[in-house]
Amino acid sequence: MALKALVGQKIMNEAIKNKRKPGQGMEWRVLVVDQLAMRMVSACCKMHDISAEGITTCPGEVFNQLCRSTAAKYLKTVKEINIAFIAYEEQVFSLDSPNTFQYFYNPMLSGNRTANMERMAEQIATLCATLGEYPSVRYRSDFDKNVELAQLVQQKLDAYKADEPTMGEGPEKARSQLIILDRGFDCVSPLLHELTLQAMAYDLLPIENDVYKYEATAGAPEKEVLLDENDELWVELRHQHIAVVSQSVTKNLKKFIESKRMPQGDKQSMRDLSQMIKKMPQYQKELSKYSTHLHLAEDCMKAYQGYVDKLCKVEQDLAMGTDAEGERIKDHMRNIVPILLDQAVSATDKMRIIALYIISKNGISDENLTKLVQHAQISPQDKQTIINMANLGLNVVVDGNRKKIYHGTRKERITEQTYQMSRWTPVIKDIMEECIEDKLELKHFPFLAGRAASSGYHAPTSARYGHWHKDKGQQTVKNVPRLIVFVVGGVCFSEIRCAYEVTQAAKNWEVICGSSHILTPEDFLSNLQKLSNQ
């Protein structure tokens, strides 16, 4: 069962639904929630389902007032549900804690680090408990704070296991693993312009709280649409490359029109759609979805053509170290200086290019950085933001002595089908695949002492046999091991996509990806900038 559905079910069954006596009418109750709890509930439950159970919600500060008042004695029950994370998507969770980036990587705030790690460990443990997992814990050993968090998570897991001994039982669950990564393991992915729909839209368009706004028809009031998994079309499109999104929407729309025997022209345009919506109000909801996604793809393409496209080529060359033909690039400066001198390119995009150049060179001299900053005409504050990447364990400004950084051997993935502007694959995908295949370097990704996974790679098995005795109507819950990957300090949308791709390819594993928060490139630079604050 998908993470979101599982959490929704748990909240409904353990906190919302009330066992009514036969003949007893509706009894209205009040559910008091703080900000995190509200976000957790609204991410997984529909408000009308909650209302249908006779529940009204009210904010957490009211709870504190209630506790202090004489009304406390009339509180019927206080239920504790061990969920302290947001199920953001089917296979994605967030701890809703962007401040973690500062506590983990800002030396000035090290006093708050232990308390923050304790909270994170508890939140991760509630995720595992919700999934019924007692995974073997691994961590990236090249960043020294990871082991500390791994040990805290293990302590919390042991406490949950003591309360619920069946947690993690069974041959499949015995193979489940949790890997803790710091953000420094891959700083390329959060900096690149990514061209799959979800990542691209969140990078280039002003989407806030997953709400996309657009003008459906000229002069009409702005439409607001929530991009979430209740929209099947969004789920189908979000990981597709922008080059095929519009065709996918049009193809789906054509199928829908044919199924409803509606009149149609050869090519569906936005105007045709608006006309159809007016003529056939009974299909307004479905047709509006197609209209939304055509607008979304069009807005992304507008931002891409003539601007982002020229950045993408340079970024991909820097990330890969080779050009589209696979030839090693000897002089990156020839490619990046024209971008840095270009007045039309924003300061943020210039910072992304400079940061990628520094990573590709494994650090540069202060003199070279100063030259690049002068070319780009970015502020001293922006320069400091780039230098702050050193807090994540990277070589940034070097005077000949570089600290050794481990980079695993990257998989060769480029084929004839690869888009030239999308040659880079996030490092997390290699880690996920190697973990499932039991090939992940133990020296750099050790297990916590005494808790190695019980057995490694199993060849894919057939699900055809063994279920003959089950009722046809019974939903089969796939009993497969899970790989839970947690990144301290933000996970980006291209990395989230990898969790789905690896699950799809592996068939007999499920990958769950999570972090302290979800990152866009702008968020990543903003987090880096704040590392200068005390």
Side-chain angles (χ1 to χ4, degrees):
M1 190 185 284
L3 176 63
K4 228 173 171 176
L6 198 66
V7 173
Q9 194 181 65
K10 196 173 163 77
I11 291 172
M12 290 300 288
N13 291 343
E14 294 182 25
I16 307 294
K17 289 188 173 172
N18 192 20
K19 289 185 177 68
R20 270 182 274 178
K21 297 183 184 100
Q24 189 183 3
M26 171 75 80
E27 185 183 40
W28 281 94
R29 291 159 299 146
V30 176
L31 178 72
V32 185
V33 284
D34 64 9
Q35 196 183 353
L36 176 65
M38 189 67 207
R39 292 193 59 172
M40 278 162 38
V41 170
S42 50
C44 304
C45 307
K46 293 192 172 77
M47 283 302 153
H48 63 80
D49 290 340
I50 292 174
S51 304
E53 293 294 329
I55 294 270
T56 308
T57 56
C58 79
E61 50 271 23
V62 178
F63 183 68
N64 297 332
Q65 285 176 344
L66 280 171
C67 292
R68 288 193 299 269
S69 77
T70 51
K73 58 177 182 251
Y74 299 108
L75 282 176
K76 192 170 178 187
T77 50
V78 176
K79 283 191 183 176
E80 186 175 20
I81 303 176
N82 291 322
I83 299 174
F85 60 89
I86 292 171
Y88 184 71
E89 284 180 9
E90 283 180 11
Q91 290 172 229
V92 184
F93 69 96
S94 160
L95 305 188
D96 198 31
S97 173
N99 291 340
T100 290
F101 193 94
Q102 301 307 315
Y103 297 137
F104 212 67
Y105 303 111
N106 190 338
M108 317 278 191
L109 298 175
S110 55
N112 300 328
R113 188 178 300 137
T114 309
N116 179 254
M117 280 196 194
E118 280 271 357
R119 176 158 173 73
M120 254 196 296
E122 179 61 39
Q123 288 179 280
I124 295 167
T126 69
L127 169 91
C128 296
T130 302
L131 292 169
E133 298 287 357
Y134 182 60
S136 307
V137 181
R138 302 178 81 162
Y139 58 94
R140 189 176 91 103
S141 61
D142 299 86
F143 194 77
D144 58 355
K145 297 185 194 84
N146 293 336
V147 65
E148 201 182 325
L149 178 60
Q151 286 163 341
L152 285 170
V153 170
Q154 187 64 62
Q155 285 168 21
K156 309 281 184 190
L157 284 173
D158 291 345
Y160 277 105
K161 175 82 171 160
D163 283 347
E164 182 49 79
T166 61
M167 192 170 120
E169 280 195 355
E172 298 304 331
K173 286 193 182 299
R175 292 160 58 211
S176 293
Q177 295 183 31
L178 163 69
I179 300 191
I180 292 169
L181 304 171
D182 56 284
R183 187 59 267 177
F185 86 100
D186 173 11
C187 287
V188 171
S189 296
L191 289 166
L192 288 175
H193 280 90
E194 159 81 22
L195 300 182
T196 48
L197 182 64
Q198 183 181 36
M200 189 178 189
Y202 278 72
D203 183 8
L204 301 179
L205 309 178
I207 294 172
E208 275 181 54
N209 298 324
D210 306 318
V211 174
Y212 163 58
K213 298 176 184 176
Y214 68 99
E215 210 176 81
T217 43
E222 223 178 24
K223 268 195 90 163
E224 291 192 359
V225 179
L226 185 64
L227 300 173
D228 73 355
E229 287 175 328
N230 292 320
D231 178 351
E232 285 168 23
L233 191 55
W234 168 246
V235 173
E236 187 186 326
L237 299 171
R238 63 186 172 189
H239 300 144
Q240 288 184 11
H241 196 278
I242 193 66
V244 296
V245 170
S246 292
Q247 297 159 318
S248 289
V249 179
T250 314
K251 203 163 77 188
N252 275 305
L253 175 58
K254 220 169 165 192
K255 262 197 240 160
F256 177 76
I257 289 169
E258 281 164 7
S259 73
K260 304 294 175 203
R261 295 189 168 80
M262 292 153 79
Q264 60 172 318
D266 290 341
K267 197 165 181 287
Q268 245 57 52
S269 70
M270 301 273 201
R271 266 197 79 204
D272 298 339
L273 258 177
S274 321
Q275 292 307 315
M276 277 179 158
I277 292 169
K278 279 178 190 156
K279 282 182 193 162
M280 312 214 167
Q282 71 272 39
Y283 300 127
Q284 184 177 359
K285 193 179 166 195
E286 291 90 339
L287 291 171
S288 290
K289 271 187 185 153
Y290 295 110
S291 168
T292 295
H293 293 297
L294 280 172
H295 272 283
L296 186 64
E298 199 176 80
D299 282 353
C300 286
M301 283 311 287
K302 269 185 205 155
Y304 175 74
Q305 284 160 339
Y307 180 69
V308 173
D309 52 358
K310 64 183 173 191
L311 301 176
C312 279
K313 185 195 174 310
V314 178
E315 289 176 0
Q316 290 293 315
D317 288 356
L318 286 167
M320 300 299 292
T322 53
D323 62 19
E325 281 69 51
E327 295 293 321
R328 196 120 207 96
I329 294 170
K330 295 183 181 73
D331 181 17
H332 282 295
M333 290 303 271
R334 265 210 344 244
N335 296 330
I336 72 169
V337 169
I339 300 271
L340 300 183
L341 294 172
D342 190 337
Q343 300 284 315
V345 176
S346 71
T348 303
D349 287 330
K350 288 177 181 180
M351 287 163 73
R352 285 162 79 165
I353 294 271
I354 295 171
L356 287 165
Y357 174 69
I358 290 170
I359 296 169
S360 77
K361 301 294 281 182
N362 194 15
I364 59 174
S365 67
D366 188 41
E367 185 189 350
N368 279 353
L369 178 57
T370 304
K371 273 186 199 160
L372 292 172
V373 166
Q374 283 166 352
H375 286 318
Q377 293 184 304
I378 58 174
S379 69
Q381 186 188 31
D382 290 344
K383 178 185 175 182
Q384 188 56 48
T385 297
I386 295 165
I387 293 170
N388 288 347
M389 284 198 302
N391 289 25
L392 275 60
L394 275 64
N395 288 312
V396 179
V397 176
V398 290
D399 52 4
N401 299 323
R402 289 172 166 83
K403 63 169 176 267
K404 211 168 171 213
I405 293 178
Y406 166 77
H407 297 287
T409 314
R410 295 304 314 268
K411 289 190 177 185
E412 182 50 66
R413 296 179 187 270
I414 294 176
T415 65
E416 286 176 8
Q417 277 72 51
T418 306
Y419 292 96
Q420 288 191 6
M421 301 294 202
S422 303
R423 286 171 279 141
W424 171 262
T425 300
V427 176
I428 208 166
K429 189 168 188 178
D430 288 3
I431 293 174
M432 289 168 176
E433 289 176 348
E434 285 173 13
C435 185
I436 286 171
E437 292 161 11
D438 204 18
K439 292 178 184 167
L440 193 59
E441 201 49 94
L442 274 170
K443 184 175 173 229
H444 297 280
F445 297 95
F447 287 96
L448 274 184
R451 277 281 341 256
S454 67
S455 62
Y457 181 58
H458 284 214
T461 51
S462 166
R464 191 181 306 165
Y465 307 108
H467 298 300
W468 55 269
H469 59 282
K470 288 200 172 167
D471 297 342
K472 286 275 189 292
Q474 202 178 329
Q475 190 191 357
T476 47
V477 176
K478 270 172 78 181
N479 188 18
V480 294
R482 286 191 176 100
L483 171 61
I484 302 163
V485 183
F486 182 78
V487 185
V488 184
V491 67
C492 62
F493 286 106
S494 57
E495 293 171 325
I496 284 173
R497 188 187 76 244
C498 294
Y500 293 92
E501 289 172 351
V502 174
T503 302
Q504 189 67 33
K507 300 277 189 285
N508 58 337
W509 276 78
E510 184 183 30
V511 181
I512 305 273
C513 183
S515 181
S516 46
H517 57 305
I518 313 289
L519 269 186
T520 63
E522 197 178 325
D523 295 333
F524 183 52
L525 290 173
S526 162
N527 286 335
L528 285 172
Q529 185 201 323
K530 288 179 193 155
L531 290 179
S532 307
N533 301 346
Q534 295 191 19

